[in-house]
Amino acid sequence: MTLADSIQWDETAIDYTTDRAAWPQLTDDERTRVLGLLAGFCIAEFAVAGQLGSYQAAALDDSMEACFRAQARDEARHARFFDLVAADVAGIPGDTPAQRLDALRDRAAPELVDLFEVRLPETARQLADEQRDLTSAVGLYHMVIEGVVLLAGQHAMLATLDGLSAGLPGVHKGMELVLRDERWHIGFGSRIVQSADICNEQAAAMLEQGETAAKVWGDLITAEAIETAMRQHRRRLKAAGIKFW
């Protein structure tokens, strides 16, 4: 895992001084939009950081296991980054990440909460307890959750940050680093899917899941952003040798 090791970063090393000063200067609408996206990321990263152990245990070889382990390290860092932004920049109340997550949860769409706090844990449990097909689990997590939901949200957050009346440079830098990590995660998952013998039913399920999941951000991302995410999703499925359209 030379690539993953070479791009490690420390969320506490980012300077958030300007961000803390700028936060009160934002308009109510700007803060509402940033907090909506931040709530989604806090929920998502807290969930995925706790579920990758099942994927790691189900790895088919040592190399795959090492990739899942490196990814788990990344996701834990992402969870810390978003929680740090929530606490230190946005001033979300709570003495622990879980308490701050509770304070943010109402800002996220129910569909997003269900995806990360119900469907993903259920998939991980089935993978661990029932030896569910690893390819289907990777299809949901890497191809759908990371490749559609998180990627669309990350681009939406960067676009939002670029348009604020007062800049949040520390948050922007951290978002760019999160996006860099996610690119190799998605590439890793895509390779697993490419190497598997995908049946038409599995392929159709991945496409349908992507179309449904792309909408879990509600009005926080545009219809154009959803279509962009789905176009990339279809392209990855096509690269995996899945031809059903």
Side-chain angles (χ1 to χ4, degrees):
M1 284 309 301
T2 303
L3 173 61
D5 290 338
S6 69
I7 59 174
Q8 292 301 297
W9 54 282
D10 182 355
E11 74 284 353
T12 64
I14 298 174
D15 185 358
Y16 302 96
T17 304
T18 300
D19 304 62
R20 288 193 294 270
W23 184 258
Q25 302 174 34
L26 300 181
T27 67
D28 289 344
D29 286 346
E30 288 173 335
R31 279 195 297 271
T32 296
R33 186 170 184 81
V34 172
L35 284 173
L37 290 164
L38 181 61
F41 286 124
C42 285
I43 290 167
E45 297 293 354
F46 190 85
V48 299
Q51 303 302 328
L52 275 168
S54 296
Y55 288 72
Q56 189 175 331
L60 303 179
D61 54 43
D62 291 344
S63 177
M64 184 183 292
E65 191 273 340
C67 287
F68 281 128
R69 185 171 64 250
Q71 186 175 357
R73 177 180 57 187
D74 287 352
E75 302 297 2
R77 181 175 56 250
H78 298 173
R80 294 193 304 269
F81 163 67
F82 288 115
D83 179 63
L84 189 158
V85 171
D88 199 34
V89 176
I92 300 301
D95 295 328
T96 66
Q99 290 175 352
R100 288 186 285 273
L101 190 62
D102 285 341
L104 283 167
R105 189 171 278 105
D106 287 344
R107 293 182 177 272
E111 293 83 2
L112 186 144
V113 176
D114 180 74
L115 176 62
F116 286 99
E117 296 191 345
V118 178
R119 288 179 57 197
L120 177 61
E122 179 180 296
T123 297
R125 281 195 300 271
Q126 290 175 339
L127 185 60
D129 298 340
E130 303 170 15
Q131 294 299 302
R132 178 178 173 170
D133 176 42
L134 178 62
T135 305
S136 296
V138 167
L140 173 64
Y141 179 35
H142 294 75
M143 302 289 280
V144 174
I145 287 179
E146 291 198 305
V148 178
V149 180
L150 293 182
L151 201 61
Q154 288 151 11
H155 284 298
M157 177 66 100
L158 287 171
T160 296
L161 294 172
D162 286 338
L164 295 178
S165 56
L168 303 177
V171 179
H172 197 289
K173 180 177 181 179
M175 282 303 312
E176 290 178 328
L177 292 168
V178 168
L179 182 58
R180 186 180 68 181
D181 289 343
E182 296 293 359
R183 288 194 181 107
W184 86 255
H185 298 173
I186 295 166
F188 165 54
S190 297
R191 285 193 296 274
I192 293 176
V193 172
Q194 286 172 4
S195 65
D197 185 15
I198 301 296
C199 67
N200 290 338
E201 183 178 342
Q202 287 175 303
M206 286 186 203
L207 184 62
E208 182 180 357
Q209 287 172 345
E211 290 173 339
T212 301
K215 302 174 183 177
V216 300
W217 289 102
D219 60 4
L220 290 171
I221 63 174
T222 64
E224 291 78 13
I226 291 174
E227 178 51 37
T228 297
M230 279 306 302
R231 187 163 56 249
Q232 293 172 331
H233 183 50
R234 295 186 192 100
R235 188 180 300 124
R236 292 188 198 100
L237 291 177
K238 187 174 183 180
I242 301 170
K243 298 179 177 62
F244 54 92
W245 54 79

